[in-house]
Amino acid sequence: TEYGRKVRSIFEKKFDDVGTVFTGLGCEGTSVLLGAIDRCDDTNERTCINQMLRSTNGFDGIFGRLYIGANGKTERPVFINMIHGDELKLVVKIY
């Protein structure tokens, strides 16, 4: 995604190490949280932040769109990859 390309570019400029899936998920989580905080009038109001997190609808993350329902459960595409040599190769993406 465009978001993924931006995150990768920023990461590669700042760090010599190769990013991992966990790095990407951390970036996404931080972006979702900051987006929820930005949608609240009072950024210290925990109830509002929780409500905004649980109304995340179609956040365009690194690996596709991310949805968080009112119950707090997240929906996103599932990726099946294989390791070929020292590279991760996409096999299939399931929505």
Side-chain angles (χ1 to χ4, degrees), residues 72-83:
K73 295 196 181 221
T74 304
E75 294 179 24
R76 68 176 317 139
V78 174
F79 292 80
I80 299 175
N81 298 313
M82 69 177 190
I83 299 173

Side-chain angles (χ1 to χ4, degrees), residues 6-41:
K6 286 179 184 177
V7 167
R8 184 177 185 167
S9 174
I10 292 168
F11 186 86
E12 288 175 346
K13 288 177 186 173
K14 293 188 177 271
F15 302 100
D16 293 330
D17 293 336
V18 176
T20 67
V21 172
F22 297 114
T23 306
L25 291 173
C27 290
E28 278 186 344
T30 301
S31 294
V32 168
L33 178 58
L34 290 174
I37 292 170
D38 285 347
R39 292 192 307 271
C40 292
D41 292 331

Side-chain angles (χ1 to χ4, degrees), residues 52-65:
M52 293 300 115
L53 282 171
R54 291 172 178 247
S55 63
T56 299
N57 190 14
F59 171 79
D60 194 21
I62 293 175
F63 302 111
R65 293 201 178 264

Side-chain angles (χ1 to χ4, degrees), residues 79-90:
F79 292 80
I80 299 175
N81 298 313
M82 69 177 190
I83 299 173
H84 184 28
D86 61 349
E87 292 186 29
L88 193 63
K89 302 281 186 177
L90 174 67

Side-chain angles (χ1 to χ4, degrees), residues 44-72:
N44 292 315
E45 179 57 45
R46 293 171 57 169
T47 303
C48 179
I49 294 168
N50 188 27
Q51 183 180 13
M52 293 300 115
L53 282 171
R54 291 172 178 247
S55 63
T56 299
N57 190 14
F59 171 79
D60 194 21
I62 293 175
F63 302 111
R65 293 201 178 264
L66 162 65
Y67 301 86
I68 303 175
N71 62 2

